[in-house]
Amino acid sequence: MSSTRDIDALIEMMAKLPGLGPRSARRAVLHLIRKRAQLFTPLADLMHTVAASARECLNCANVGTSDICDICASEKRANGQLCVVEDVADLWAMERAGVFKGRYHVLGGTLSALDAIGPDELRIPKLVDRVTTEDITEVILALNATVDGQTTAHYIADQLEDRVTLTSLAQGVPIGGELDYLDDGTITAALNARKKL
Amino acid sequence: MSLHVASLTLSHFRSHRVARLRLDARPVAIHGANGSGKTNLIEAISLLSAGRGLRRAAAADMTRRPEALGWKLTAEVIRDGETIEVKTWSDAGAARQVRIDSKAASQLDLAERIRVLWLIPAMDRLWIEGAEGRRRFLDRAAMSLFPDHATATLAYEKAMRERNRLLKEQVRDAHWYRALERQMAESGAAVHSHRMATLDALRTAQQDATTAFPAAELSLEPIEGDLPETAEDLADALEESRFRDLAAGRTLVGPHRADLSGRYAAKDVPARDCSTGEQKALLLSLILSNARALKARIGTPPLLLLDEVAAHLDANRRAALYDEVCALGAQAWMTGTGPDLFEDLGDRAQRLLVEDEDGVSTVTVE
């Protein structure tokens, strides 16, 4: 058994990753071992490098390999628009769409008194600060349509109301969606947000 | 237009190890001795809609002991000629899962498709006990008529729990309170308007029916102070109440501070001062009105679960209940200790006998 101890430890470690369980971790490790040269060694090298260099951007809390991320460093993206998101995964989802040309601000969660997460835990003071120092004209609140997400949106709106234009993402019929499958709340939101053709 | 359970399979649910039933659209009269598992059977039916069922039990508590393997219900429900296959289960200790027509579904999806109303002996003291029980009764009626009432109630309660935590911890951040109060105002106004619309629907259903059961005059009253109706009024009331709420450590204004008041209309007496039998008749009258209101609104009557209801009624009222249930076209599941209670139904109902054999319930179609 001792000869496989390291492999078992690796499987156990992999199984802790989101989306993987013990079985899929075993499969992944077996696959890596079989593809040692093409996959395993380069992956291990990359993991080593990224583990040493990955950090949060001091400005927006995006994850990158330098103190200021590429988006914050790019002058092109200083167009006066600031998009507020809950976490880095949301930022990356927005970037995947490739439509937004401004900068981001990652809150790191939502306000929740029950979970003891207040404004100071959420980088809201930093957001207020950035609105002034970066000449922001529009803050786009791209927060989840949950009670906590909307409470956070209202909280931020309350703080910035007189200083910038505040907008939020539209809620309604998803692209390719069928009305028949939508719940009443979504249909109401979609109807209220209707626009002229 | 009708709604009925055509087949039901219980596995390790409460006292039932395995039960398989095939049924037609007629009411179901269930008889059997005390503790044989009659209520467990209709509790299973109550789980064909959203929520925790008629005992408001946790999913883990519904599993058969001592095995505690978890439980599963499978049912074919026919709604307006269309078959809906519902599977709902809980694996040992886990939350309840739902599949409709073999697709994963939410409890809200169930609430949209299958409406279930019930009257159980635990509700007998509804008019005497605290306001919470009466609010829950009204909210169940509201959810049957407006399924998104559940969403509004959950959102309101979630925001209120957050606000109460701030109050308890004496947080003074006005922005935070305002953000939560806006959420409470929007969802709270929806809760209030659903409740008022429900009272209207019940009132109309009572007026339009010829029934042997007494009419109840219903109104929604604040426990103290005012009951704000619009989102703006509620937001203002919450802001105004903040200082007082900080002292109390909880929210003192809003739809969670409403009470359902009922009067026996013909005698003009508050429901709580009526005799036990009259109180029961009032409740039954409201359940039947709720069922009629639903039928008027969506065209289909709900499933009715009437636990131990026959025993409390005199022979005339019992006959009247059976006539009204049949006229409604509802599949009413009624329980009683002896078959004689259901004699008046004749062949208008199908009959089930539930017996207990060494701690295991068995169900026989008679």
Side-chain angles (χ1 to χ4, degrees):
Chain A
M1 279 308 281
S2 66
S3 62
T4 62
R5 200 166 50 201
D6 287 346
I7 296 176
D8 289 341
L10 177 62
I11 291 171
E12 221 172 280
M13 203 64 107
M14 296 271 283
K16 289 182 184 166
L17 296 177
L20 289 188
R23 194 176 307 195
S24 44
R26 268 202 301 276
R27 267 215 312 271
V29 169
L30 207 55
H31 185 75
L32 286 170
I33 293 171
R34 283 186 187 134
K35 306 247 171 182
R36 193 189 306 257
Q38 307 100 301
L39 219 60
F40 210 170
T41 316
L43 178 69
D45 291 345
L46 267 175
M47 286 187 121
H48 189 74
T49 317
V50 175
S53 63
R55 70 198 72 181
E56 261 186 16
C57 170
L58 295 175
N59 200 41
C60 73
N62 184 13
V63 170
T65 51
S66 51
D67 281 343
I68 300 294
C69 71
D70 295 348
I71 298 173
C72 287
S74 162
E75 270 310 311
K76 267 201 210 151
R77 305 209 51 159
N79 68 353
Q81 288 183 327
L82 189 65
C83 179
V84 179
V85 291
E86 224 175 279
D87 59 39
V88 178
D90 297 337
L91 187 160
W92 290 359
M94 294 281 293
E95 278 298 280
R96 258 202 324 269
V99 184
F100 181 62
K101 302 293 181 216
R103 284 179 175 163
Y104 294 94
H105 189 79
V106 179
L107 291 176
T110 46
L111 280 180
S112 170
L114 293 170
D115 298 320
I117 299 173
D120 295 337
E121 279 78 25
L122 283 185
R123 309 185 72 250
I124 289 177
K126 175 75 182 171
L127 169 66
V128 176
D129 192 41
R130 282 184 71 190
V131 166
T132 326
T133 56
E134 293 183 34
D135 289 330
I136 300 297
T137 52
E138 180 182 0
V139 171
I140 302 165
L141 297 169
L143 300 172
N144 291 334
T146 57
V147 171
D148 285 344
Q150 291 309 299
T151 302
T152 312
H154 287 314
Y155 182 90
I156 294 171
D158 213 30
Q159 304 243 310
L160 298 175
E161 216 162 23
D162 308 322
R163 303 165 59 178
V164 285
T165 306
L166 286 159
T167 54
S168 67
L169 296 188
Q171 293 175 356
V173 186
I175 308 266
E178 291 178 45
L179 284 183
D180 195 20
Y181 287 91
L182 295 186
D183 62 282
D184 298 358
T186 309
I187 290 185
T188 310
L191 193 64
N192 289 339
R194 69 187 181 279
K195 57 180 183 183
K196 220 167 177 183
L197 276 176
Chain B
M1 303 290 245
S2 70
L3 175 75
H4 75 271
V5 180
S7 80
L8 177 71
T9 307
L10 313 185
S11 169
H12 288 82
F13 184 80
R14 299 264 192 201
S15 57
H16 299 265
R17 191 173 283 154
V18 182
R20 284 195 189 83
L21 299 171
R22 291 215 69 87
L23 302 143
D24 55 50
R26 289 177 297 163
V28 185
I30 308 165
H31 68 95
N34 291 331
S36 56
K38 303 186 293 292
T39 307
N40 295 342
L41 188 57
I42 61 170
E43 183 183 27
I45 304 291
S46 71
L47 292 172
L48 298 181
S49 196
R52 302 174 70 166
L54 55 74
R55 283 195 178 104
R56 302 200 306 120
D61 294 339
M62 295 185 226
T63 185
R64 215 191 110 73
R65 310 266 168 212
E67 301 96 313
L69 298 167
W71 52 268
K72 185 168 187 177
L73 310 176
T74 312
E76 269 174 20
V77 180
I78 315 272
R79 186 183 149 172
D80 306 336
E82 206 180 306
T83 306
I84 307 169
E85 194 198 65
V86 179
K87 279 193 171 78
T88 180
W89 71 94
S90 157
D91 292 323
R96 167 148 93 106
Q97 313 271 321
V98 177
R99 288 178 89 82
I100 301 175
D101 293 333
S102 308
K103 288 199 194 86
S106 71
Q107 293 197 31
L108 204 63
D109 294 326
L110 265 189
E112 301 262 357
R113 286 175 175 77
I114 303 171
R115 321 271 170 122
V116 187
L117 300 177
W118 57 76
L119 188 63
I120 57 172
M123 287 152 75
D124 285 356
R125 296 178 58 78
L126 189 85
W127 299 112
I128 302 164
E129 285 175 345
E132 196 194 342
R134 286 185 291 277
R135 265 198 310 274
R136 198 182 305 125
F137 179 79
L138 176 59
D139 282 336
R140 277 214 62 82
M143 269 176 232
S144 74
L145 292 162
F146 314 101
D148 56 337
H149 183 64
T151 319
T153 309
L154 287 176
Y156 179 78
E157 284 173 357
K158 165 88 171 83
M160 184 170 72
R161 277 201 304 277
E162 290 276 328
R163 186 177 185 267
N164 284 350
R165 176 58 69 91
L166 295 186
L167 293 168
K168 215 163 270 164
E169 289 178 359
Q170 300 285 306
V171 174
R172 305 272 171 165
D173 184 337
H175 296 294
W176 200 343
Y177 279 104
R178 232 181 344 255
L180 285 168
E181 285 161 9
R182 279 180 66 170
Q183 300 277 302
M184 288 175 72
E186 277 163 33
S187 50
V191 168
H192 183 79
S193 83
H194 289 147
R195 285 178 179 168
M196 296 307 278
T198 303
L199 291 185
D200 267 346
L202 290 178
R203 215 169 282 137
T204 313
Q206 288 193 101
Q207 279 162 4
D208 295 352
T210 37
T211 168
F213 292 93
E217 246 168 52
L218 298 174
S219 59
L220 200 58
E221 316 270 351
I223 290 175
E224 51 157 13
D226 295 326
L227 208 54
E229 293 185 3
T230 63
E232 293 78 44
D233 288 350
L234 183 50
D236 290 346
L238 284 164
E239 187 172 353
E240 214 171 282
S241 175
R242 219 180 279 158
F243 188 69
R244 206 164 60 106
D245 293 354
L246 267 167
R250 67 200 168 94
T251 305
L252 295 173
V253 64
H256 67 289
R257 301 280 286 166
D259 189 6
L260 173 68
S261 140
R263 294 180 79 79
Y264 193 112
K267 295 186 176 175
D268 197 27
V269 178
R272 62 171 180 278
D273 295 336
C274 291
S275 77
T276 318
E278 284 171 334
Q279 291 190 21
K280 184 96 184 178
L282 277 177
L283 279 177
L284 200 47
S285 165
L286 285 177
I287 294 285
L288 290 171
S289 303
N290 192 171
R292 281 189 213 103
L294 251 177
K295 191 178 176 183
R297 194 179 157 82
I298 60 171
T300 311
L303 297 172
L304 283 176
L305 310 177
L306 306 174
D307 194 17
E308 296 291 351
V309 86
H312 292 268
L313 300 174
D314 57 47
N316 288 337
R317 276 241 171 93
R318 204 151 60 214
L321 170 68
Y322 298 155
D323 290 347
E324 287 182 32
V325 161
C326 292
L328 196 61
Q331 191 183 45
W333 294 64
M334 297 174 280
T335 68
T337 44
D340 47 313
L341 286 168
F342 301 111
E343 243 165 40
D344 283 341
L345 272 165
D347 61 4
R348 291 181 296 173
Q350 49 205 321
R351 286 173 173 68
L352 303 178
L353 169 66
V354 183
E355 289 169 300
D356 170 85
E357 280 169 26
D358 303 324
V360 181
S361 297
T362 59
V363 188
T364 326
V365 182
E366 292 191 316

